Amino acid sequence: MQIRQVSAAERADTFFPISTYAFMPSPWEAGAQEKYAQRMRFFETATSLIAEEDGQALAGAAALAMRQNVRGVVQDMAGVFSVVSHPDARRRGYVRQLMTRLLRQTREQGSTVSALYPFRPSFYERFGFVGVPRHRRATFEPEGLKHLLKAELPGEVRRVHMTEGFDDYTALTLRLLGERHGFAVYDEVRAGEFRETPAPWVAIARAGGEVVGAVTYRVDGYGGELVAGDLLATGSLGRALLLQFLARHVDQVAKIVVQIGTDEVPELWGTDFVVTTEGRVDHPRRGGPMVRLLAIEALNGLHTPAELGVTVEVTGDELLAGRYRISGEAGTLAVEESKDEPAATLTCAGLSALAYGVLDPVEVVVRGFGQVDGAAVEALGALFPKQMPYLFANF
Ligand SMILES: CC(C)(COP(=O)(O)OP(=O)(O)OC[C@H]1O[C@@H](n2cnc3c(N)ncnc32)[C@H](O)[C@@H]1OP(=O)(O)O)[C@@H](O)C(=O)NCCC(=O)NCCS
């Protein structure tokens, strides 16, 4: 077996048969491979690795060139996808070797963090990944928001096809990339496909000449459902404008379903508001995303309220292993190699959980991601206060 990097064009002959078999209904229809080949121009900037034997691709793993905000710092992110092996080649360790090389290579290419949607989190935990929240879905009847119908809000919402709204929508996601912890976006090459594909509606909210919110959606029928994507807003006004727009579908649709982050509390959107907020995770189809640091330097510059330092040792990970002093000063973190005795020993998943704000030091220990001395519990908790990330991109 040898591992080889393939170009986007080669993915049609190498990835298509194994990925389509794994992820799509099969046997697939005639012409599916040609359609796949046509889409591959949107994957030109992805890193695609295959494990092949006698010229046949038996397994693959790939990463999209993305960016992500981690506690205020926008980092290059390897968005891992197309992790797959041929049924005859499973349990031979090929995917393990591919993942190890993919993470190393994307780090060499400059990515400091990585994210993926797992078929089963325990598989990726062994590669240093830790879970972060999956989006929630709020389901409600538009009547519940009727108080908004008459509200005078300083702004307006326009509905367009994504083909027309793509630039505004993309600009808003880039603004949120800079402002929102965990938020991840594609590069221009990959994102290009969403301008061209049969486009959903996108409602774009503007106030004072600025885009302050956007939501993609489709209506599945008169009296049916309005199914929306992520409710993206720069603040309360953007959200209120979008909710007002959704409320106008009263008497047209019976239900509205919208995706939200864990910091949204839909029951507070209105008085007497009947809503179900669901965070559903199951495997293999609806995994909560997972993340990891690929380079210790990813910690430099992260926002922190603490003014103190702690020495930690990271073990069991080829990319992060070492002893480091992590200090908070004037609002940001700095990390440097250290020879001091460590006050905590962490796995990559443990340090990543702290950096992304999803677990506190006690939970890191409880989950088996390391050992933390008594005093370091408080210090690490102060350096890395809990802060739930919102990944947004779904790849
Ligand atoms: C998931 C999949 C890629 C694993 O491929 P594989 O070729 O069996 O992986 P490997 O042989 O390299 O396994 C690596 C390790 O994970 C373990 N492993 C494999 N599948 C596992 C599973 N379903 N659950 C837990 N561990 C698993 C292996 O035992 C092996 O352990 P080891 O390192 O101690 O030997 C393959 O089963 C597949 O293609 N499934 C369908 C597509 C899919 O779900 N892809 C993942 C999308 S996120």
Side-chain angles (χ1 to χ4, degrees):
M1 185 279 279
Q2 62 151 11
I3 292 181
R4 180 167 72 90
Q5 181 166 356
V6 295
S7 66
E10 285 174 285
R11 285 180 58 98
D13 288 326
T14 53
F15 273 90
F16 173 81
I18 47 177
S19 294
T20 307
Y21 183 79
F23 300 121
M24 304 304 283
S26 66
W28 47 84
E29 287 173 10
Q33 192 156 3
E34 290 68 34
K35 264 195 205 151
Y36 183 92
Q38 279 165 18
R39 291 182 56 228
M40 286 306 106
R41 66 184 190 281
F42 301 115
F43 293 81
E44 292 285 354
T45 49
T47 302
S48 301
L49 302 180
I50 56 159
E52 63 183 358
E53 245 172 41
D54 305 326
Q56 198 202 343
L58 293 179
L64 296 167
M66 300 178 68
R67 282 181 299 155
Q68 184 180 35
N69 180 318
V70 184
R71 291 195 195 264
V73 178
V74 176
Q75 320 236 3
D76 283 346
M77 179 188 110
V80 174
F81 75 113
S82 281
V83 177
V84 64
S85 57
H86 189 287
D88 297 344
R90 287 181 189 161
R91 301 297 201 276
R92 286 201 224 157
Y94 291 177
V95 169
R96 178 161 31 81
Q97 291 176 57
L98 282 163
M99 278 297 294
T100 306
R101 167 141 168 215
L102 184 68
L103 296 178
R104 196 188 307 143
Q105 184 172 332
T106 49
R107 182 175 93 158
E108 279 160 14
Q109 291 166 188
S111 291
T112 47
V113 295
S114 180
L116 53 79
Y117 282 81
F119 73 101
R120 185 195 282 242
S122 53
F123 182 84
Y124 293 103
E125 198 171 276
R126 300 168 62 198
F127 295 101
F129 286 85
V130 70
V132 294
R134 186 175 169 83
H135 59 252
R136 269 55 178 147
R137 280 155 58 101
T139 305
F140 55 89
E141 293 175 8
E143 279 85 338
L145 291 177
K146 60 173 191 275
H147 65 284
L148 284 172
L149 289 177
K150 293 210 177 97
E152 294 275 340
L153 299 174
E156 76 278 332
V157 176
R158 210 162 75 96
R159 162 182 58 90
V160 291
H161 270 118
M162 183 56 114
T163 34
E164 198 187 322
F166 183 82
D167 290 334
D168 281 334
Y169 188 80
T170 304
L172 176 65
T173 61
L174 291 178
R175 172 167 170 189
L176 294 175
L177 171 69
E179 294 176 358
R180 196 153 179 186
H181 172 50
F183 205 82
V185 299
Y186 298 120
D187 69 354
E188 275 178 32
V189 174
R190 178 71 194 92
E193 184 169 19
F194 306 107
R195 188 198 287 271
E196 296 186 16
T197 41
W201 294 119
V202 55
I204 298 180
R206 280 191 177 72
E210 244 184 273
V211 174
V212 291
V215 64
T216 60
Y217 71 95
R218 63 183 166 77
V219 178
D220 77 358
Y222 183 50
E225 288 188 0
L226 184 160
V227 182
D230 295 70
L231 192 73
L232 299 180
T234 58
S236 317
L237 177 59
R239 191 213 288 112
L241 284 164
L242 293 177
L243 292 179
Q244 182 180 56
F245 173 79
L246 294 176
R248 294 201 171 122
H249 294 77
V250 65
D251 301 326
Q252 179 188 340
V253 296
K255 272 198 178 133
I256 294 177
V257 184
V258 62
Q259 291 185 182
I260 50 173
T262 50
D263 53 349
E264 285 286 356
V265 188
E267 60 268 39
L268 305 184
W269 289 348
T271 310
D272 293 341
F273 185 40
V274 176
V275 59
T276 302
T277 305
E278 186 186 38
R280 182 165 173 198
V281 168
D282 58 38
H283 307 114
R285 291 179 67 95
R286 282 178 285 255
M290 300 182 85
V291 296
R292 62 159 286 166
L293 306 180
L294 288 178
I296 197 75
E297 292 74 27
L299 296 180
N300 280 325
L302 302 198
H303 296 181
T304 180
E307 298 265 337
L308 51 87
V310 61
T311 304
V312 306
E313 175 141 24
V314 184
T315 56
D317 188 78
E318 176 195 313
L319 301 180
L320 293 193
R323 210 174 264 194
Y324 309 99
R325 181 88 184 151
I326 304 172
S327 337
E329 208 188 310
T332 58
L333 284 180
V335 62
E336 57 184 8
E337 289 195 18
S338 167
K339 292 200 165 37
D340 296 347
E341 257 328 283
T345 308
L346 301 167
T347 63
C348 172
L351 184 60
S352 300
L354 292 174
Y356 276 86
V358 288
L359 300 180
D360 67 25
V362 172
E363 290 165 325
V364 164
V365 175
V366 170
R367 290 280 300 274
F369 299 147
Q371 290 304 323
V372 183
D373 286 358
V377 167
E378 217 165 290
L380 283 170
L383 284 169
F384 298 105
K386 264 200 171 176
Q387 189 183 352
M388 285 302 144
Y390 181 43
L391 191 70
F392 167 62
N394 195 337
F395 44 95

